[in-house]
Amino acid sequence: MNFVEKKILEEGRVEGEDILKVDSFLNHQIDVEFLNEIGKRFKELFKDQKVDKILTVEASGIAIACICAQYFNVPVVFAKKMDSKNLDKETYESEVYSFTKAKHYTIKISKRYLGRGENVLFIDDFLANGRAALGIKNIVDQAGANLVGIGIVIEKGFQEGRAILDDLGINLHSLAIIEKMEKGKISFKSL
Ligand code: 5GP
């Protein structure tokens, strides 16, 4: 069992059939030591890729992406979900369906911070149905940048995200893949 799987078993809480709450270390309170190990692990997994920039989506992805970025020595750009008067007018935008909120939202990245030919690694906390990842892929394509990989802390392997990203030939690494969460009991797929 790896350190992410261990942490999930110790602190994760299953809600209903398909939601995992990890508020004690990732989504509300943040365990920085744990994130640091995640940063090291993603650096190992993507060591052969040229990475110019790490992309994520606000809010939960930001802390994870920032710690990873220290190992890659690159900046982080996070897609904005909330409307803000401060955001540049010139943006790349994509519509995303939120699995947890059961509604659509628009993610936006200023054209100033994503350029043609840049090699981009997308980092996020969860992979469920792959909608956030597809939204980011769409923005990266609009910019003429290259999506060199996707790093996910917790993948829910019983949802369709991986199949969709595999079909697109995306280089995907997850640190833990949940096979099922029946009656609150979590089991993992071997990596
Ligand atoms: P997807 O876009 O792959 O359908 O869903 C991924 C996004 O939804 C993640 O960025 C995460 O914020 C949220 N998400 C999906 N499933 C879960 C879950 O079981 N627990 C938590 N905490 N967030 C989830």
Side-chain angles (χ1 to χ4, degrees):
M1 182 179 306
N2 72 27
F3 71 103
V4 179
E5 294 166 340
K6 186 164 175 283
K7 190 78 166 168
I8 293 169
L9 289 187
E10 283 169 1
E11 298 190 29
R13 287 184 294 120
V14 179
E15 255 186 27
E17 300 273 284
D18 50 12
I19 296 281
L20 178 67
K21 299 270 283 180
V22 290
D23 284 0
S24 70
F25 61 96
L26 203 58
N27 283 159
H28 196 9
Q29 174 169 261
I30 293 177
D31 182 335
V32 178
E33 282 293 309
F34 173 74
L35 283 201
N36 198 38
E37 293 307 310
I38 283 174
K40 282 188 210 161
R41 188 69 191 120
F42 279 135
K43 177 63 188 169
E44 283 166 15
L45 290 167
F46 292 104
K47 66 178 184 311
D48 297 330
Q49 306 297 326
K50 184 178 183 311
V51 175
D52 301 316
K53 201 161 264 185
I54 293 182
L55 290 196
T56 191
V57 181
E58 70 178 349
S60 298
I62 298 176
I64 308 166
C66 286
I67 294 214
C68 291
Q70 291 189 305
Y71 289 95
F72 288 87
N73 288 309
V74 297
V76 171
V77 177
F78 61 92
K80 301 222 181 194
K81 281 181 186 169
M82 336 256 180
D83 272 330
S84 159
K85 281 188 185 147
N86 292 333
L87 187 59
D88 292 342
K89 294 282 170 288
E90 292 285 298
T91 55
Y92 300 112
E93 298 186 8
S94 188
E95 181 103 329
V96 171
Y97 180 76
S98 165
F99 172 73
T100 44
K101 297 197 178 72
K103 63 175 189 194
H104 286 88
Y105 61 93
T106 304
I107 55 172
K108 298 182 186 179
I109 291 183
S110 166
K111 292 190 176 177
R112 206 188 285 262
Y113 302 119
L114 189 58
R116 179 163 296 281
E118 281 190 307
N119 298 304
V120 167
L121 175 64
F122 173 56
I123 296 284
D124 207 4
D125 55 351
F126 276 88
L127 177 68
N129 293 317
R131 307 299 157 185
L134 284 179
I136 287 289
K137 165 93 172 86
N138 180 257
I139 282 180
V140 169
D141 288 347
Q142 289 176 47
N146 312 313
L147 186 63
V148 299
I150 296 184
I152 298 289
V153 181
I154 305 170
E155 174 181 334
K156 292 188 293 179
F158 51 86
Q159 292 182 265
E160 64 181 4
R162 178 171 289 264
I164 290 171
L165 301 179
D166 278 353
D167 274 353
L168 293 171
I170 292 172
N171 179 18
L172 168 67
H173 286 292
S174 300
L175 303 187
I177 305 180
I178 296 176
E179 188 170 47
K180 51 183 185 240
M181 307 197 293
E182 276 171 12
K183 298 186 183 115
K185 200 171 168 312
I186 301 169
S187 58
F188 298 100
K189 275 191 188 160
S190 51
L191 292 166

Short mmCIF file of all heavy atoms in Angstrom, two decimals, residues 32 50 83 85 97 99 131 156:
data_model
loop_
_atom_site.label_atom_id
_atom_site.label_comp_id
_atom_site.label_asym_id
_atom_site.label_seq_id
_atom_site.Cartn_x
_atom_site.Cartn_y
_atom_site.Cartn_z
N VAL A 32 0.54 19.55 4.75
CA VAL A 32 1.59 20.04 3.85
C VAL A 32 2.70 19.00 3.65
O VAL A 32 3.24 18.86 2.55
CB VAL A 32 2.15 21.39 4.37
CG1 VAL A 32 3.27 21.90 3.47
CG2 VAL A 32 1.03 22.42 4.44
N LYS A 50 9.17 17.25 -20.65
CA LYS A 50 9.57 18.65 -20.51
C LYS A 50 8.32 19.41 -20.06
O LYS A 50 7.30 19.39 -20.75
CB LYS A 50 10.07 19.18 -21.85
CG LYS A 50 10.59 20.60 -21.75
CD LYS A 50 11.13 21.08 -23.10
CE LYS A 50 11.72 22.47 -23.01
NZ LYS A 50 10.90 23.47 -22.35
N ASP A 83 -16.41 34.27 -11.34
CA ASP A 83 -16.32 35.50 -12.11
C ASP A 83 -15.62 36.56 -11.28
O ASP A 83 -15.87 36.68 -10.09
CB ASP A 83 -17.72 35.99 -12.48
CG ASP A 83 -18.15 35.36 -13.79
OD1 ASP A 83 -17.26 35.08 -14.62
OD2 ASP A 83 -19.35 35.14 -13.96
N LYS A 85 -13.97 40.69 -11.59
CA LYS A 85 -13.74 41.90 -12.40
C LYS A 85 -12.25 42.06 -12.70
O LYS A 85 -11.86 42.75 -13.63
CB LYS A 85 -14.21 43.13 -11.62
CG LYS A 85 -15.71 43.30 -11.68
CD LYS A 85 -16.11 44.63 -11.09
CE LYS A 85 -17.62 44.73 -11.04
NZ LYS A 85 -18.11 45.48 -9.90
N TYR A 97 -18.76 20.31 -16.58
CA TYR A 97 -19.85 19.83 -15.72
C TYR A 97 -19.24 19.31 -14.42
O TYR A 97 -18.33 18.47 -14.43
CB TYR A 97 -20.64 18.71 -16.41
CG TYR A 97 -21.76 18.20 -15.53
CD1 TYR A 97 -22.93 18.94 -15.37
CD2 TYR A 97 -21.64 16.99 -14.84
CE1 TYR A 97 -23.95 18.49 -14.54
CE2 TYR A 97 -22.66 16.54 -14.02
CZ TYR A 97 -23.82 17.29 -13.88
OH TYR A 97 -24.83 16.85 -13.06
N PHE A 99 -19.18 17.16 -11.22
CA PHE A 99 -19.77 15.93 -10.69
C PHE A 99 -20.27 16.15 -9.26
O PHE A 99 -21.38 15.71 -8.91
CB PHE A 99 -18.69 14.83 -10.72
CG PHE A 99 -19.11 13.58 -10.04
CD1 PHE A 99 -20.04 12.75 -10.63
CD2 PHE A 99 -18.61 13.24 -8.79
CE1 PHE A 99 -20.45 11.59 -9.99
CE2 PHE A 99 -19.02 12.10 -8.15
CZ PHE A 99 -19.93 11.27 -8.75
N ARG A 131 -14.34 15.49 -16.56
CA ARG A 131 -14.83 16.75 -17.16
C ARG A 131 -13.86 17.91 -16.94
O ARG A 131 -13.65 18.72 -17.85
CB ARG A 131 -16.20 17.13 -16.61
CG ARG A 131 -17.24 16.06 -16.71
CD ARG A 131 -17.52 15.66 -18.14
NE ARG A 131 -18.07 14.32 -18.15
CZ ARG A 131 -18.35 13.60 -19.21
NH1 ARG A 131 -18.11 14.07 -20.40
NH2 ARG A 131 -18.85 12.40 -19.11
N LYS A 156 -11.08 7.90 -9.07
CA LYS A 156 -12.15 6.95 -8.78
C LYS A 156 -12.30 6.07 -10.02
O LYS A 156 -12.89 6.47 -11.03
CB LYS A 156 -13.43 7.71 -8.42
CG LYS A 156 -13.26 8.43 -7.06
CD LYS A 156 -14.54 9.03 -6.55
CE LYS A 156 -14.96 10.15 -7.46
NZ LYS A 156 -16.23 10.77 -7.06
#
